[in-house]
Amino acid sequence: MTRTFAITIAYDGTDFAGWQVQPGQATIQGTLQHAIKRSTKLDVNVTGSGRTDAGVHALGQVASCRFPTWTASTDALSKAINSRLPETIVVTEVHQAPSDFHAIRDAIGKRYRYQIQVRHQRDPFEHRYRWRLRRAVDVAAMQSAAAKIIGHRDFSSFESAGARRKSSVRDVRDCQVLPAADYETSGHLAIEVEANGFLYNMVRNIVGTLVEVGYGKQPPEWIDEVLGQKNRIYAGQAAPPQGLFLKEVYYRPGFEPV
Amino acid sequence: MTRTFAITIAYDGTDFAGWQVQPGQATIQGTLQHAIKRSTKLDVNVTGSGRTDAGVHALGQVASCRFPTWTASTDALSKAINSRLPETIVVTEVHQAPSDFHAIRDAIGKRYRYQIQVRHQRDPFEHRYRWRLRRAVDVAAMQSAAAKIIGHRDFSSFESAGARRKSSVRDVRDCQVLPAADYETSGHLAIEVEANGFLYNMVRNIVGTLVEVGYGKQPPEWIDEVLGQKNRIYAGQAAPPQGLFLKEVYYRPGFEPV
């Protein structure tokens, strides 16, 4: 009997060409499907809640997959897959889901984390996981600007060309600029954004725009103007991929992988 | 006129075949010399305070190098070299040193840091920088054992075969087992060892031995017995390279790169 599972995955995306299977390239989806095949002898398609780009990481990506047959426990499945994965990818949880669970369709929201390091000199141990800003930023101004992102709005100005969606309206439920407790010495800063859904490159475009405010190139009120234009050319440049982490995917009750 | 510099370097050693130049392999020394050549057009030999093995990192490796000619500032030299280095290596400081300064001969001590993560599940973001222990350890027992390492002793039991030194006696000035402030949740633990000099693989052999005590396989008093045997076969297995960082190198007054 077919069983559907919700699989939670964390990965360091640095050395992968993104989530989606691409011929001749190492991808997260391809590596996962290969690990499932090697450990269970089953050809299973793994559907992620969304595609992450090359160099983008995940703390809690969720994928749905249907197994034509699996009689052992979810714990055994998790162990089997992990035994065939490289050190850079880990299955953190496996839960049995309703038979029609679909990781994209059933998602009701996502939270991303974007990591920054304000530091003149490069840091060999953080460059895979943070965007380095060489100059000081005004954190309070960035926080004021971030508050203006929150709401039910048309986010066309933060949508990169590519896979266009029918509507560019999204509910951004939270947008915070969070300096680390040791920010004065480490320069570590994170921006977290939560919404019911995201347009292509939306978080990286928001972050790039908030950094322009941080650099004092624009005041926080500029965000309202950018949103009002509904045109990508008015926002700041996209932040690079290595700072971005898909932190959590939310599902409606009954479809939660818990 | 020839000028001698003391260069401080930090690096992520994961993707390098160690410090020392080896034909056909990416090494830290080779990459540095190449960056100096590209940025200054000078063929300069860079002498490190010691060779780090493949996969071992440095927070403060020190190297001496003699420039046949260099008229600009040390700051300009640092910027020039950094502009040609990959993200995984950074020159953090450059100081002019006495003309006969030699990074190995003049060193009077070193401090190493070894990073551990106690965690059942792999962590994609820490595996380059920590040795993962799957089972809980008795930190207090490890701390008692570490205190027994300190002193003027013959460390033959912690010396791996390879480059044997004339004497196996060293002064270990400090040996600490340091759980992180958030150890209960992160499982992050560090072992720091400071000595006037180290034998081949000494820190990794000490760490592997302390972990056997942490696992309860041996009591802290076992350390005295191991030291007394003066034979490598009595100590624990060497810890893997990825947790090891050369943290600091100490020089005598007048030769300090400050």
Side-chain angles (χ1 to χ4, degrees), chain B residues 123-178:
Chain B
D123 183 334
F125 308 104
E126 295 289 343
H127 81 278
R128 293 166 75 92
Y129 311 121
R130 292 184 181 275
W131 178 24
R132 182 164 61 90
L133 305 180
R134 286 153 201 250
R135 293 189 290 119
V137 288
D138 180 338
V139 174
M142 290 173 75
Q143 288 170 328
S144 301
K148 293 176 180 295
I149 299 283
I150 299 172
H152 181 83
R153 296 154 182 278
D154 184 319
F155 285 96
S156 304
S157 294
F158 296 105
E159 179 176 25
S160 292
R164 288 245 160 214
R165 310 297 167 91
K166 273 182 224 156
S167 161
S168 301
V169 174
R170 293 292 181 278
D171 269 316
V172 172
R173 300 167 188 151
D174 194 20
C175 184
Q176 300 219 32
V177 177
L178 306 159

Side-chain angles (χ1 to χ4, degrees), chain A residues 12 48 57-58 70 86 92 100 105 115 127 157 196 231 244 248 251-252 255:
Chain A
D12 173 344
H57 319 288
W70 183 263
T92 57
D100 59 343
R105 192 195 58 212
Q115 296 195 158
H127 82 278
S157 294
N196 63 341
N231 186 328
L244 189 60
E248 204 172 344
Y251 290 93
R252 53 201 165 84
F255 287 87

Side-chain angles (χ1 to χ4, degrees), chain B residues 99-119:
Chain B
S99 62
D100 59 343
F101 172 71
H102 188 282
I104 301 176
R105 193 198 54 215
D106 295 327
I108 55 169
K110 280 182 191 170
R111 190 175 182 91
Y112 281 94
R113 176 181 171 86
Y114 193 95
Q115 297 193 157
I116 286 171
Q117 181 172 32
V118 182
R119 185 180 158 111

